[in-house]
Amino acid sequence: MKPALTNKQLEQYYRQVLLPQVEESGQHKLLQQHVLIIGVGGLGTHVAQQLSAAGIGHLHLMDDDKVETSNLPRQILFGNYDIGKSKVECAKTALNRHNHQTKVSTYIQRFTAKTINSVINNSSLLSDLISAKQLIVLDCSDNMATRQAVNRWCVQSALPLISAAVTAFRGQLLLVDNQTNPEAGCYHCVFTTQEQATNCAEMGVLGPTVATVASMQALMTIKHILQLSRKDNQLHIFDAMDLTWRKLTRQQDPQCPVCQVHLNSPPAQPETHI
Amino acid sequence: MITISFNKDTLDIAANSSLQQALNSYAEQKPEIQLANIALVVNQRIMPKSQWPNYLCQNQDQIEIFSPVAGG
C-alpha cells in the first residue's frame, strides 16, 4: 500500500508530486528524510531553504558562527535584525516561518571529529539515525580542514556525503557514497591537501554564484533521496564566468588513507549513551 | 619523446615518463604552481595523487591542473 499524503500536503507539494519520478511515494520519502547540514553560511542557508521548501522532514543545522553584516549579500535567509545572533538559531526561525512542517534541530558547534561525537552522544535521535543509516550529510563548510574531517566521519559512519564548495567564480560539487558507489572514492581521493584552499573571505564571491552551487547541491540531495541518480562518479565544476558546468570522472585512490581503510571495515558506531 | 598537453601548453617529454615526472617538468617552466595544493586530470579523469608516480604518460595525453575551492 502506497503511503498517503494529507490533503494539505498534496496541495502544497502538488507540482512535485505531479512528476512521475516523484509521485506521492517520493514526496513521502522526502517528508521522512533527515539531512545534516554542516555550515550554515552561503551554501548552507540556500540549501536549507530549498530542502525545507521541498518538504524534507527534518533538517539538522550545525555551525558555531554568528551572523555578521558581511554575510547578508549572499546569506539571504538572514536580515539586519539577525546581526550578532547564532546562525543556526536565526536559520531555524526563518525556516519555520517559511515551512513549519520541516522540523529543524540546531547544534551550535564547529564540526570536528571530537565535536561531532559529542553532539551524537547528546542526541539519541542523531545517534539512532546514524545507526539506521537514515541521515544524509551536506558539507557546506568554509575551510579545507573541516571538509576533510567531514569526509572522514561520513566514510567511517557509512553515511552519504554531498559536498559543495564555492569561491570567487568557481564551484565544486560531488557525492560520496561508499556504500553504493565505492568505485568513485571519497573526497580525499580527489583532494589530499589539509592546507587551507582558497575561500570566500580571501577571494570574494557573488551571491548568485553561491546560490547556483547550493541549488545543485539541493537538487543532488533530492535526487539521491528519491534514488533518481545513476551512480554519480563525477566532480561537478561550475565556472561562473562562462556560466558552464563541467564534469570530471572520479576514481577511488587505491591507497586512500580514508576510504580504503574503511572499505572492508564495519561502519563506526556511535558511543553508547550513558 | 612524446608530446602531451599540460593546461593546454604543449610539453615534450621522454617516453615512459610518469605523470609525476611530467608535472615536475611542467612546474620547472611554471614556478608559480603550488604543487602541494593541486589535483591532476588526465583525459577528463581525475588521477589520485598516489598514482602520479605510477601512471605512464601516453602520447597526446591531455593533462590539467586544478585546485580545490573550500568556501561555503
Side-chain angles (χ1 to χ4, degrees):
Chain A
M1 184 175 151
K2 287 184 179 179
L5 302 178
T6 64
N7 287 340
K8 169 116 181 32
Q9 288 171 331
L10 262 180
E11 181 186 1
Q12 182 163 349
Y13 302 113
Y14 178 67
R15 298 285 197 292
Q16 297 179 177
V17 171
L18 203 56
L19 292 166
Q21 293 85 352
V22 181
E23 297 186 322
E24 274 196 64
S25 59
Q27 188 61 51
H28 187 75
K29 278 186 190 172
L30 297 178
L31 290 163
Q32 298 298 311
Q33 184 65 50
H34 289 251
V35 176
L36 170 61
I37 298 176
I38 297 167
V40 185
L43 291 170
T45 48
H46 277 99
V47 86
Q49 284 177 93
Q50 298 221 24
L51 293 181
S52 172
I56 296 295
H58 198 136
L59 295 176
H60 302 259
L61 309 179
M62 186 172 183
D63 198 319
D64 69 337
D65 277 349
K66 292 177 177 169
V67 179
E68 299 175 13
T69 305
S70 64
N71 299 149
L72 300 184
R74 65 197 177 284
Q75 299 176 25
I76 57 177
L77 196 60
F78 304 136
N80 279 309
Y81 39 83
D82 291 321
I83 304 292
K85 297 178 187 170
S86 157
K87 281 188 174 179
V88 293
E89 292 303 326
C90 292
K92 179 178 181 177
T93 302
L95 292 168
N96 284 341
R97 197 161 48 231
H98 289 291
N99 187 358
H100 65 272
Q101 292 184 58
T102 298
K103 291 179 184 162
V104 180
S105 296
T106 58
Y107 312 95
I108 304 177
Q109 289 277 2
R110 176 172 292 266
F111 184 100
T112 66
K114 192 174 175 182
T115 57
I116 189 62
N117 280 330
S118 167
V119 165
I120 294 166
N121 286 334
N122 287 307
S123 167
S124 57
L125 174 59
L126 268 185
S127 177
D128 291 345
L129 289 168
I130 292 166
S131 297
K133 306 289 169 269
Q134 291 175 343
L135 187 67
I136 294 176
V137 182
L138 305 191
D139 187 353
C140 301
S141 66
D142 64 357
N143 66 86
M144 185 52 79
T146 301
R147 291 183 179 283
Q148 295 289 5
V150 170
N151 175 65
R152 185 177 292 272
W153 175 68
C154 286
V155 171
Q156 286 173 348
S157 306
L159 295 173
L161 164 66
I162 298 177
S163 177
V166 61
T167 296
F169 290 95
R170 288 193 300 154
Q172 295 170 349
L173 175 69
L174 71 161
L175 165 66
V176 175
D177 190 347
N178 274 55
Q179 298 305 295
T180 61
N181 194 16
E183 299 84 7
C186 69
Y187 186 84
H188 193 276
C189 294
V190 179
F191 299 119
T192 56
T193 182
Q194 296 286 337
E195 294 175 20
Q196 181 59 48
T198 53
N199 67 22
C200 302
E202 297 161 349
M203 303 284 288
V205 71
L206 291 172
T209 307
V210 179
T212 301
V213 177
S215 292
M216 283 286 276
Q217 188 180 24
L219 183 57
M220 188 181 270
T221 305
I222 291 170
K223 287 180 64 189
H224 188 73
I225 295 164
L226 299 178
Q227 298 175 307
L228 299 181
S229 309
R230 286 173 293 179
K231 286 185 176 181
D232 191 319
N233 64 343
Q234 311 287 329
L235 172 68
H236 302 264
I237 297 179
F238 179 55
D239 183 331
M241 290 300 280
D242 288 342
L243 300 178
T244 54
W245 283 91
R246 179 181 181 205
K247 293 193 279 192
L248 299 173
T249 303
R250 296 183 287 132
Q251 57 184 315
Q252 191 177 56
D253 179 353
Q255 296 175 29
C256 179
V258 178
C259 65
Q260 284 301 297
V261 169
H262 297 284
L263 187 63
N264 298 313
S265 307
Q269 297 294 321
E271 292 174 26
T272 308
H273 290 275
I274 298 170
Chain B
M1 298 288 281
I2 59 171
T3 300
I4 61 174
S5 80
F6 229 111
N7 278 10
K8 297 185 180 173
D9 293 327
T10 300
L11 190 66
D12 292 322
I13 57 172
N16 293 323
S17 292
S18 70
L19 183 59
Q20 182 68 61
Q21 289 168 324
L23 173 64
N24 293 344
S25 298
Y26 187 65
E28 283 178 13
Q29 298 175 19
K30 305 275 183 180
E32 67 273 19
I33 296 172
Q34 296 179 13
L35 292 174
N37 200 19
I38 60 168
L40 290 180
V41 178
V42 180
N43 304 328
Q44 308 293 317
R45 192 174 179 86
I46 298 167
M47 189 65 66
K49 193 169 187 175
S50 72
Q51 301 306 301
W52 296 358
N54 302 334
Y55 177 80
L56 298 182
C57 294
Q58 307 294 309
N59 196 36
Q60 303 301 320
D61 268 354
Q62 295 184 358
I63 301 165
E64 297 169 74
I65 297 174
F66 73 107
S67 52
V69 297

